[in-house]
Amino acid sequence: MRTHTHRPHLGGGGRDWRDGATRYALLPLRLFLGVTFLYAGLDKLTDSAFLRDTGTGSVGSMMRTVRDSSAIPALVDLALKSPVGFGYAIALGEIAVGIGTLIGLLGRIAALGGALISLSLWLTVSWATDPYYYGNDLVYLMAWIPLVLAGAPLLSLDARLHARRRQRTGGYR
C-alpha cells in the first residue's frame, strides 16, 4: 500500500514541488526587505526636509518628538547630538542592508544590520505605538530574524562564492 500522497515534479529525482517551495521560501522575504530598506535609505537621502536638524519632517524634530516616549531616551539623546549625522547614518545603513540583502552578499551580516536598525527604531521611534502591533518596526525586526539565521543560500553572491570555494577545495569546506 502506498502512503506517499504527492507526486514528484517533472524533473524527477524524487523531489517534488514542496522541496522547491521549501528551498525558495525565504526568497520573497529577502526581496521585500531588500527593496524596502534600499528604498527607505534612498528616500531619506533625497528628502531635503529629513536631513535637517529642525523643521517639519526633519530627523531632528522627529527625534525630539519621540524622546520622552521612547524605551531608551539615552539612545535618542545620542542621536540628538548630531541629528543630521544620525539621519545620514540610518539612510546609508538602510542602503547597505538593502543592497547586501538583494544581491546576497554577506547575507547574514546584512540581515543582522537590518534587524539592528529595526530594533533601534522600535525602541525609539515606534515604542509608544498603541497597540504595539500598529508599529511596523517590530514587524520588520521579526522579519529579519529568519534571514539572520539562514543567510542568503540561493540566488546570491554568498552562494556563488561558497560554490567557488568548494570547487577549489575539492568539495571540502
Side-chain angles (χ1 to χ4, degrees), residues 127-140:
W127 179 256
T129 303
D130 186 38
Y132 77 93
Y133 50 83
Y134 282 161
N136 63 348
D137 296 314
L138 179 59
V139 176
Y140 281 111

Side-chain angles (χ1 to χ4, degrees), residues 37-49:
F37 268 57
L38 179 60
Y39 177 78
L42 291 173
D43 190 45
K44 286 174 179 66
L45 284 182
T46 58
D47 182 355
S48 60

Side-chain angles (χ1 to χ4, degrees), residues 139-162:
V139 176
Y140 281 111
L141 171 62
M142 294 298 117
W144 281 112
I145 291 173
L147 297 180
V148 170
L149 297 173
L154 296 171
L155 302 176
S156 67
L157 288 177
D158 286 348
R160 185 171 289 234
L161 293 170
H162 179 70

Side-chain angles (χ1 to χ4, degrees), residues 10-24:
L10 295 175
R15 301 187 74 185
D16 68 358
W17 67 271
R18 293 177 210 172
D19 292 330
T22 300
R23 282 186 74 205
Y24 292 95

